[in-house]
Amino acid sequence: MDHSFLSALILLLLVLDPFGSLPIFIPLMRAVPAERRTRVALREVGIAFGVLLAFMFLGEGFLRVMHLSERSLEVAGGVILMIIAMRMIFGGGSDAAYGLEEGREPVIFPLAVPLLAGPSAMATVLLLASRQPDRIGEWIGALSVAMLVSGAVLLLADRIRNLLGDSVVTALEKLMGLVLTAIAVEMVLAGLKRYFVGGL
């Protein structure tokens, strides 16, 4: 299926799911001083953009050199999202469940990778670039706009929290944890299905 700029943009926004990142972004930012949150959000979005842009050009070659497939990326991403979803649902504990030391601000993991630049986003930009390489400029533009939207959503995270209140945000976090669990399971099952069925 050929994509237009608009359809590619919509696809990338659905895959990046910036609103779905809020229940993870907000609790992670609690340990970050308020004056640094904007810088952290912009940095993580910038890192995610760089990762996806690099994967758009180099992803297929990297997977081939490492003897990896999109199926393995999908399964690995599902496992990581499952761990994060468990932390969202049950709460408590330290930031170690996110791979962070207590009181440390997130750098790359888990916001830039895998929340924004996750396996599904990597696979999407790889497929766009490989199927229609002559329109690479449009795909870069669509990715840029999608990342700008994601950055804007993350920058408004505090306002959303203040508007809804901590209790609603906590309830939303647990609800999104359940949804994220289902997505993680679906990713693992899809990867395994493509491995066992597609690999025949």
Side-chain angles (χ1 to χ4, degrees):
M1 175 183 176
D2 290 342
H3 286 281
S4 64
F5 175 86
L6 181 59
S7 66
L9 173 60
I10 293 173
L11 176 61
L12 286 168
L13 285 173
L14 291 174
V15 170
L16 291 172
D17 189 18
F19 287 100
S21 300
L22 287 182
I24 295 177
F25 180 81
I26 291 175
L28 283 176
M29 289 297 102
R30 287 173 184 156
V32 179
E35 64 273 11
R36 284 193 52 82
R37 291 174 186 171
T38 297
R39 183 178 300 178
V40 170
L42 293 176
R43 183 190 66 208
E44 296 303 297
V45 171
I47 292 172
F49 175 74
V51 169
L52 292 178
L53 189 63
F55 210 81
M56 184 179 289
F57 289 98
L58 307 173
E60 190 171 1
F62 174 77
L63 293 179
R64 187 164 51 248
V65 168
M66 299 300 295
H67 303 288
L68 298 174
S69 66
E70 294 173 22
R71 299 183 293 271
S72 63
L73 282 178
E74 204 161 18
V75 174
V79 172
I80 293 173
L81 288 181
M82 178 67 73
I83 295 172
I84 295 174
M86 291 300 100
R87 170 63 170 80
M88 291 169 60
I89 294 172
F90 296 108
S94 66
D95 291 334
Y98 291 111
L100 298 175
E101 296 180 14
E102 187 73 29
R104 293 287 298 276
E105 68 181 41
V107 179
I108 301 179
F109 180 89
L111 296 178
V113 180
L115 257 295
L116 292 174
S120 56
M122 292 178 184
T124 299
V125 297
L126 188 154
L127 291 174
L128 286 172
S130 61
R131 289 178 180 175
Q132 295 174 277
D134 56 313
R135 302 177 64 185
I136 192 69
E138 291 186 53
W139 310 147
I140 294 174
L143 177 61
S144 300
V145 174
M147 295 307 299
L148 286 174
V149 172
S150 299
V153 171
L154 294 182
L155 289 174
L156 292 172
D158 282 333
R159 293 185 181 180
I160 294 173
R161 181 180 60 184
N162 293 334
L163 178 65
L164 298 179
D166 287 336
S167 59
V168 176
V169 170
T170 300
L172 177 63
E173 180 181 355
K174 294 185 183 299
L175 176 61
M176 291 306 299
L178 291 172
V179 175
L180 197 60
T181 301
I183 293 173
V185 171
E186 189 67 29
M187 286 177 64
V188 172
L189 291 178
L192 293 175
K193 179 179 179 181
R194 289 204 291 168
Y195 176 79
F196 288 109
V197 177
L200 295 178

